[in-house]
Amino acid sequence: MNQNTIKVLLADDNKDFCDIIVDHLNKQEDITVVAVAMDGIDAMNKIRDTHPDVAVIDGIMPRLDGLGVLERLQKTEEDDRPITIILSALSQDKVVQKALDLGASYYMVKPFDMVELTARVEAVLRRYNAS
């Protein structure tokens, strides 16, 4: 893995969905999935352990949902926080706004286009690095 590789953590409780996303992202030259979490608590532990650049987090998961992960991330040191993209079947304005207020860089509604997800992972990191 070269130092220009984007390290991604994926958190979603649907294993088949995770397998598809991981397979797609790992085919990209500049992206490597460093961890997969099946719930929000697992996501927080793996974020701490793997220090991903970007965390792609499902909005609805057992034990701790995507908004809960964002709330906990706000309590961590800024340097230890990954850039976050929320994936969710919920598209209500209040939920989207809450995720963005809690620090999500982008909110994608399921179903979504894989090429668009890849572009968002790359774009949020570029935007972050430029600031």
Side-chain angles (χ1 to χ4, degrees), residues 8-95:
V8 175
L9 170 129
L10 175 62
D12 194 296
D13 60 323
N14 182 325
K15 183 184 178 336
D16 293 335
F17 177 77
C18 287
D19 291 345
I20 292 166
I21 300 293
V22 168
D23 184 56
H24 174 77
L25 291 178
N26 279 338
K27 287 180 181 173
Q28 312 309 308
E29 285 185 20
D30 57 347
I31 298 174
T32 298
V33 177
V34 295
V36 176
M38 296 312 218
D39 63 56
I41 300 294
D42 191 27
M44 289 301 302
N45 291 333
K46 288 181 176 172
I47 287 168
R48 183 193 64 235
D49 295 343
T50 64
H51 306 285
D53 300 309
V54 178
V56 179
I57 303 168
D58 185 23
I60 302 170
M61 293 183 292
R63 298 198 321 157
L64 184 65
D65 66 10
L67 294 179
V69 172
L70 290 172
E71 287 172 347
R72 288 189 182 190
L73 285 174
Q74 281 193 325
K75 297 174 185 172
T76 64
E77 293 293 321
E78 193 168 340
D79 290 346
D80 292 334
R81 275 185 237 154
I83 297 164
T84 53
I85 297 172
I86 297 292
L87 303 178
S88 183
L90 298 175
S91 61
Q92 297 142 332
D93 290 344
K94 281 177 130 176
V95 175

